[in-house]
Every structure is written in structure tokens, then in C-alpha cells.
Amino acid sequence: MVLRRTPRWRTLGAALGVVSLGLALAPASAATPAHDAPEPAAERTVAGPTGDVQKSDNIRHVANMPKQEPFNTLNAYGTDIAFKGDHAYVGNYDGFVVYDIKNPTKPSIVTQVACPGGQGDVSISGNLLFVSVDYPRTNDTCTSESTTAADPNGWEGMRIYDVSNPAEPRYVSAISTDCGSHTNTLVPDKAGKDVYIYVSSYGPRAEFPGCQPPHDKISIIKVPLDNPAEPVLVDAPVLFPDGGNPGNGYTSATTGCHDITAFPEKDLAAGACMGDGVLFDISDREKPRVINQVRDDENFAFWHSATFNNEGTKVVFTDELGGGGAATCNEKTGPTRGANGIYDIAGSGADAKLEFRSYYKIPRFQEDTENCVAHNGSLIPTKSGDYMVQAWYQGGVSVWDFSDSANPKEIGYFDRTPFDPGKLEISGSWSAYYYNGYVYSSGIQDGLDVLEINDPRTNNAKNVRYEEFNPQTQPVYQR
């Protein structure tokens, strides 16, 4: 989600401190000091999903686990998901939630960690959980308070937890990054000793000491797996030395990246960088190199995220028109704006180029009280073809086929009627990912939904199993 950087303040919904279900954690260790959002709506609790469910016949709604106190407020947005074994780690603007998903028909909350900082993007490696902090705090602890980006002592960046016991996450360390961490991408090193975190952030201003323009870069953190208490900022490479997209009043100017998806086994990554779509060579993990850069100044407003197909020959880029807070899945907006862009990768190595093939947008108009736009999703690991499951906020969850890059089509969907029929509230599916036979959807207000796809085109994917899954770190699965 964009939540564009304007004057940086936000009072987060949950109580300060690390508490939940009786859990109390130690504060973070000291870290190098290091950043907005609209003012929150009036605080109120959310009882659970609202509206009626509409879905295709090949989708079964297996379960829902509503948001629980203290994350059951309107401003405690549920966000991204990382998976490890029988657990799902779901980010939240106010911390994160650990779910037991051993029985997908009966997910349960193991614990909740209240540690505000927005937007709570998560990645996991072994027993380490990495959580993004994108709003300036007075310090790196969970008892910090919100401050402004103009505060020279403000902090934002990455927090690291030990989740060897999922019921008792332990805060290990933190490290600051310029402009905070809107999203993060885990990239394992080739020796298996360290992991790298590519930090995407954006929105610089001259009056922000920790977020100075032009900010045409990302931050790269190296975390030794045997000593996660000592993360190191190894580089902050400038991706656009000649400047990114200047913007045109419709397409955003590029001042950083929103998200990067790594494909380690292919030594590739795809960056969604506000006004630019980027293909990287990441064979040297500490020195990602831009191979190709594309723009779509007519249809793409904000390059948001990216997904490769399994062969690494295609990239699906999402356009987050309206920052995730607008009704853009209506007739007025049309079929190409706020859609996915499907690109084939032609050539290889230094000669690889992204070539546009088509747009994909859900084929159902949504109400003007429903925020809706292309958002986070993942491949379905089928034996043939290219299939994806994807969140569309209040447009629900879409299952679609892009095997023919020029002619994508939807094959299934799950969609609730408006969260509030009387006015537009920020709600819907933030992230929807396929993991070990089921689709898990993180609802901004709806909690965790579990879906099952029963379709001959995708059923063979139910046999594919992962022990660990980060959607921004794509694995290669065997066809």
C-alpha cells in the first residue's frame, strides 16, 4: 500500500508496548538512529468481516479468523504474510500476529506482538523474522512513540525477531535505513551463512534529515545467521544515477522503490519503483545491477510490486492507482488503469529486456465505496501453465491465468460486498498467497481468510509443499 509520504505523523491504534495474550517481550537492543501517512480515521473496533460473500463455484471458503484485541481497531491494518512450517506471520500496522495453520480449516492465533511502526511488511528465514518500520518513532523499541520525519533523532528501519518459539517471539535487534522500510525483500546468500535484506523506501523531502532527496536508491542489510544481533548496512546503491522517472502528473516520479521481488535461483530480481519497472541481475547479492528499465506513463500510476513466472521468463507488475485507498475497479476508471502489466523477458543476461504484452484487471465492477486496485499475490505452483492468486483490496481475491501473456483471464474469485455500504473505508484483502494447498488472505479489517481452489487446472499444485515461503523471494518449484 502506498499511503504517500506527506507530513509524517500517525498515532497508531494499538496500545504501545509488546503485549498480547499475556506475552511480554524485552525491548530492542540499541541501534543506530535513523520516518507518513494520512491522519487516521476515528478509532473504532472491528467486530469481524462484514457484507455477503460472493465467489466462483471453484472456490471454497474454508475459514476466517477475525482480528483480535488489540488489533481489532479500524486503524490496525492487517498487511503482508510470511510462512514457516505450520505458522503464518501476518504483519500489522501495530505489530504482527502469529497464526497456527497446521489445520487450515481451523486457524488459531498463537500470539500477537504489539510493536507499532507501520506497515509491518514481513519476511522470514529460519528462526528469524524481519519486520519493516516505515513511520518515524522516538526510538527503535516497542515502547517508542510516534514522531515526525523532521525529528533528527527519529528512528525507522528494520526490526529483527527470533521466532524459534513462535509463541514467544524475542526482539533481537534493529537497524535504521534512510526513509525507513516500506517493504523488505529477503535474499539468501549463496553460502547459506547470511541473508540480505533489500529495503525499499521512498518519499524524500529536504526537511527530513533521515530521508533526503533524491533517494534514487535502496538499502542493503546483511544479517549473519549465527549472529542476528549484529546486522550491517553494507550498501545503499543508487539505482538511477541519471534520475528515475520525473513523473507526468499521472505517473509518479521515482524517488526510490516500493517493492522488489527476488528470484535467487535465477539471479534475478524485479523492482517496482514508483515510476519505473526494473529488472536486476543479483548474482552479486551486495551489488544488484539494473539490466533493463521500463515505463508506462499512460496507464501506470505507481509501480507497486512484481511476480515472476516459474521459468523466470515473465514478470507481472502491479499498478497501485490511488494508493490502495480509492475505488478504481469501476466503469469510470476502465480496464487498464489500476491493473497488472504483463511483461515477457526477451533475451538473457545483460541483454535481457522487459517487453509489454497485456494488462489484466478483475472483470467485475466494484462499488464506489470499495477501495480496489491490483495488490499482492503469488504463483500457484502448477505442473503446467502460469497461474496466480492475487489480492485486490475490496475487489477480493482473484485467481487468474497468464499462460498466454497477451490474453490473461480470470478463472476464480472470492469477494465480499462493501465493508461499509455508506462510505469508503480502507478494507479488503491486502495479500493473498498460495501456500501448501490453500490460499491465505490477510484482510485489512477482516482478519485471516483461508480459501481452497478446486479446479482441474490448478489441483496438482496441492501436492507442492514448502517449509518456508516469502512471496518477495520466489522459489523455483519442479514442474
Side-chain angles (χ1 to χ4, degrees), residues 80-103:
D80 221 344
I81 316 175
F83 299 90
K84 172 73 175 180
D86 293 330
H87 295 91
Y89 295 82
V90 179
N92 189 284
Y93 271 53
D94 290 343
F96 63 91
V97 184
V98 184
Y99 292 90
D100 185 327
I101 56 171
K102 185 174 184 179
N103 181 351

Side-chain angles (χ1 to χ4, degrees), residues 258-291:
H258 180 278
D259 210 339
I260 295 172
T261 294
F263 205 162
E265 292 186 57
K266 302 285 186 180
D267 282 336
L268 290 174
C273 300
M274 303 179 70
D276 294 275
V278 181
L279 189 65
F280 298 97
D281 178 325
I282 60 168
S283 52
D284 184 337
R285 303 293 197 241
E286 295 188 9
K287 298 184 182 300
R289 182 172 57 87
V290 174
I291 302 171

Side-chain angles (χ1 to χ4, degrees), residues 285-299:
R285 303 293 197 241
E286 295 188 9
K287 298 184 182 300
R289 182 172 57 87
V290 174
I291 302 171
N292 192 222
Q293 184 176 344
V294 292
R295 295 174 181 171
D296 183 345
D297 289 343
E298 181 178 348
N299 277 294

Side-chain angles (χ1 to χ4, degrees), residues 47-218:
T50 62
D52 297 325
V53 168
Q54 300 170 340
K55 63 181 185 64
S56 56
D57 291 341
N58 59 353
I59 300 292
R60 181 169 73 98
H61 189 197
V62 174
N64 171 264
M65 173 58 69
K67 295 199 297 186
Q68 304 294 310
E69 188 178 2
F71 295 163
N72 62 336
T73 65
L74 200 62
N75 297 314
Y77 296 166
T79 61
D80 221 344
I81 316 175
F83 299 90
K84 172 73 175 180
D86 293 330
H87 295 91
Y89 295 82
V90 179
N92 189 284
Y93 271 53
D94 290 343
F96 63 91
V97 184
V98 184
Y99 292 90
D100 185 327
I101 56 171
K102 185 174 184 179
N103 181 351
T105 68
K106 294 181 179 180
S108 61
I109 293 177
V110 177
T111 194
Q112 301 183 129
V113 176
C115 197
Q119 62 181 8
D121 202 45
V122 289
S123 293
I124 195 163
S125 178
N127 293 323
L128 299 178
L129 182 72
F130 304 91
V131 183
S132 290
V133 179
D134 197 33
Y135 294 158
R137 311 294 298 175
T138 51
N139 56 58
D140 64 2
T141 70
C142 293
T143 55
S144 63
E145 298 179 355
S146 62
T147 185
T148 71
D151 180 355
N153 298 312
W155 181 91
E156 56 187 335
M158 293 298 305
R159 292 174 175 145
I160 303 174
Y161 293 82
D162 182 327
V163 291
S164 51
N165 180 353
E168 296 184 359
R170 182 174 61 86
Y171 197 165
V172 175
S173 61
I175 185 168
S176 65
T177 53
D178 287 352
C179 299
S181 173
H182 194 68
T183 64
N184 72 81
T185 303
L186 186 142
V187 187
D189 80 340
K190 296 183 178 183
K193 294 182 179 180
D194 309 298
V195 293
Y196 292 94
I197 304 295
Y198 290 178
V199 174
S200 296
S201 58
Y202 59 92
R205 286 192 183 183
E207 64 268 30
F208 295 167
C211 188
Q212 290 287 292
H215 194 68
D216 291 326
K217 62 184 181 180
I218 60 173

